[in-house]
Amino acid sequence: MSQRIVHHPVLGSLTLGEPLHFIFNGDSYTAYEGETIAAALLAAGVRTLRVHEEKGTPRGIYCNIGHCYECRVHVDGVLTVRACMTLVKDGMNVSAGTVLPTPLKKGGHPS
């Protein structure tokens, strides 16, 4: 069930663009032209977009304006793409960010 807001009491009704289909973690989702990956996944009820580099705890949309980097995902093989700033393209393959080496620890890997 979509949780997409299509009518706002102040902004009015939203006209949805053309439907686009993309994959997230092996499952198919629908977005609409002009939507970001984060918006489309949020509307589909997906809350976890990656895991913390050191602890492996779930992370999702936090600021939704590109400042915090909590929504980093892999897109078509490119690591560290911000889901809140990246528009969905038809056929896009997105996967959750995984535990990556951290430059802040000696050896570059989580303990």
Side-chain angles (χ1 to χ4, degrees), residues 49-50 53 69-74 80-83 95-97:
L49 301 182
R50 70 178 190 93
E53 288 81 356
Y69 288 83
E70 288 296 321
C71 66
R72 288 171 287 167
V73 293
H74 306 306
T80 314
V81 174
R82 290 177 289 176
S95 60

Side-chain angles (χ1 to χ4, degrees), residues 2-74:
S2 176
Q3 298 173 11
R4 187 173 276 105
I5 297 171
V6 294
H7 181 75
H8 188 278
V10 175
L11 302 175
S13 294
L14 172 69
T15 302
L16 296 177
E18 292 295 315
L20 305 171
H21 302 283
F22 71 105
I23 303 296
F24 178 69
N25 286 347
D27 293 323
S28 182
Y29 292 90
T30 300
Y32 293 92
E33 195 172 36
E35 276 188 333
T36 63
I37 297 167
L41 290 173
L42 186 65
V46 175
R47 300 294 182 263
T48 300
L49 301 182
R50 70 178 190 93
V51 294
H52 189 272
E53 288 81 356
E54 295 179 19
K55 300 176 184 174
T57 54
R59 295 289 189 253
I61 300 167
Y62 184 69
C63 76
N64 207 30
I65 58 173
H67 287 280
C68 73
Y69 288 83
E70 288 296 321
C71 66
R72 288 171 287 167
V73 293
H74 306 306

